[in-house]
Amino acid sequence: VSLALTPIVVSLVLPPGLKKTPKAPSAAREKLVHMGPVTHEEKIFGVVIIGMVGLWAGASTVEIPPVVTALSGLAVLFLTGVLRWEDCAANKEAWGTYVSFSCLVGMASMLNKLGVVKWIATSITSVITGASLSTIPAFFVILVLYWLLHYVFASQVAHVSSLYQPFLLMMLQVGVPDVPAVFALAFASNLFATMTPYASAQSAVWVASGYVTLEEWYRVGFVFFVFYLLLWTTVGAVWWKMLGLI
């Protein structure tokens, strides 16, 4: 249901500027003819990318860190002449994404290191416990807070590693069954990747393309926060009930 409704919601909150492209197939064929056959460099690039994706997917099995895979792939492209340093240096968008995202990740790391994140989690726990909320209202409050706190994180991994366990314990303390509590926070940990231009590594790359402005991203991100929250706690709850999870 979520997969089917997402494109509809996107088209409503961020309508495409071009809705019909009848000449696209013919233009694509002409472009392919103009490009000619696949070059030797393109074949090397394709093999390297496929190899990198395979190593990333099996990182836990082959025990090769993703960073090592990325640097190795880049080194192969340099050594084979597919890429030159001038090509990398001229990619201003990539450097801008790298610098801005690294700053945000560093800031999130320091917030966690200095105990700010732990203080927030402890404060929220005290407030919810003191409010004596029943299970269902407490569940929604904890879930919404966990979701919205991603505004201060530039990494899903950092968010999950810092807040997942404390918020899970909060849910269990207010009487939420263990399976729904685990799944609710797990789903939120994936869905909040669309909230901000820095919510995930993918978001940073997409916003660097320039097709979506920062203002549009924040607006649409909040719309999808509300949309996903309502959908996954209503239709999702019915589905969980059918599966016997709640």
Side-chain angles (χ1 to χ4, degrees):
V1 175
S2 180
L3 182 63
L5 292 179
T6 294
I8 299 175
V9 176
V10 171
S11 65
L12 292 175
V13 298
L14 196 64
L18 188 63
K19 297 183 179 180
K20 294 183 179 180
T21 55
K23 297 182 179 180
S26 59
R29 286 192 293 268
E30 292 176 3
K31 188 67 175 178
L32 286 173
V33 172
H34 178 72
M35 291 172 63
V38 179
T39 64
H40 179 66
E41 288 77 11
E42 290 170 341
K43 292 178 181 178
I44 294 175
F45 183 81
V47 171
V48 171
I49 292 299
I50 293 173
M52 291 172 65
V53 171
L55 289 175
W56 280 329
S60 59
T61 302
V62 298
E63 297 183 351
I64 298 178
V67 174
V68 174
T69 298
L71 292 177
S72 299
L74 184 62
V76 171
L77 294 178
F78 278 137
L79 292 173
T80 55
V82 176
L83 277 181
R84 298 176 302 168
W85 176 247
E86 290 78 8
D87 300 324
C88 297
N91 196 331
K92 298 179 181 178
E93 292 80 8
W95 284 109
T97 301
Y98 174 77
V99 172
S100 60
F101 197 72
S102 60
C103 291
L104 290 168
V105 170
M107 182 181 68
S109 177
M110 287 304 298
L111 288 174
N112 189 31
K113 184 177 181 180
L114 294 173
V116 176
V117 173
K118 184 178 180 180
W119 171 77
I120 292 174
T122 303
S123 301
I124 293 173
T125 302
S126 301
V127 172
I128 292 177
T129 303
S132 300
L133 296 175
S134 59
T135 300
I136 295 179
F139 167 79
F140 279 101
V141 170
I142 294 170
L143 180 61
V144 169
L145 288 174
Y146 177 78
W147 206 319
L148 291 178
L149 278 172
H150 197 60
Y151 276 111
V152 300
F153 284 93
S155 166
Q156 289 170 277
V157 175
H159 187 152
V160 172
S161 60
S162 301
L163 296 182
Y164 186 89
Q165 184 177 0
F167 275 74
L168 177 60
L169 291 175
M170 276 189 265
M171 284 197 174
L172 297 178
Q173 288 173 359
V174 298
V176 179
D178 52 359
V179 174
V182 169
F183 280 137
L185 293 177
F187 291 144
S189 299
N190 285 275
L191 295 172
F192 59 41
T194 61
M195 288 184 65
T196 66
Y198 53 85
S200 64
Q202 299 88 339
S203 298
V205 174
W206 291 334
V207 78
S209 65
Y211 288 104
V212 181
T213 65
L214 293 178
E215 180 182 354
E216 290 173 334
W217 195 293
Y218 280 109
R219 177 172 58 85
V220 175
F222 185 78
V223 169
F224 268 93
F225 156 68
V226 176
F227 165 67
Y228 284 142
L229 180 65
L230 294 176
L231 181 67
W232 285 71
T233 54
T234 53
V235 178
V238 173
W239 178 242
W240 288 0
K241 184 68 174 179
M242 293 172 62
L243 294 177
L245 297 178
I246 57 176

